[in-house]
Amino acid sequence: MANASTKTRTSASTRTEIKYPDRFNVVILNDDYTPMEFIIHLLIEIFNKNIEEAKDITIQIHENGKGIAGTYNFEIAEQKVHESTLISRHSGHPLNIMMEKV
């Protein structure tokens, strides 16, 4: 009887791809009722902007109808929108803040 020897060779490879979380812009929309000073204060307190950045963003909101307050991951952006809207409504302003995917 012949000695039948079979050798099987197998190889497996896996490829892992790292995907960073999606980013979202927090956008403040212009309205005719909210004072610019309130928006500047909001940008400083909630979005940690310095006075110059806050003024620049506020001018952009006024001139273009909207401005980006910051870019964050989903959870942080959602929290910033909620907190800003809550403070705005509590102060009696109809300011609209929204998120948009980058």
Side-chain angles (χ1 to χ4, degrees), residues 1-15:
M1 211 166 157
N3 187 0
S5 173
T6 58
K7 293 183 180 181
T8 304
R9 187 174 192 178
T10 60
S11 72
S13 66
T14 58
R15 183 174 176 187

Side-chain angles (χ1 to χ4, degrees), residues 36-80:
M36 293 175 82
E37 293 80 20
F38 178 79
I39 296 173
I40 291 170
H41 176 73
L42 198 67
L43 288 166
I44 292 169
E45 293 297 318
I46 304 298
F47 296 95
N48 300 318
K49 303 295 182 186
N50 64 39
I51 189 76
E52 294 305 316
E53 289 175 319
K55 286 180 180 179
D56 290 342
I57 294 169
T58 303
I59 296 299
Q60 182 182 10
I61 293 167
H62 182 68
E63 291 177 352
N64 301 332
K66 66 180 182 176
I68 297 172
T71 304
Y72 308 95
N73 65 22
F74 179 79
E75 291 82 9
I76 304 259
E78 187 177 45
Q79 176 64 32
K80 300 274 186 190

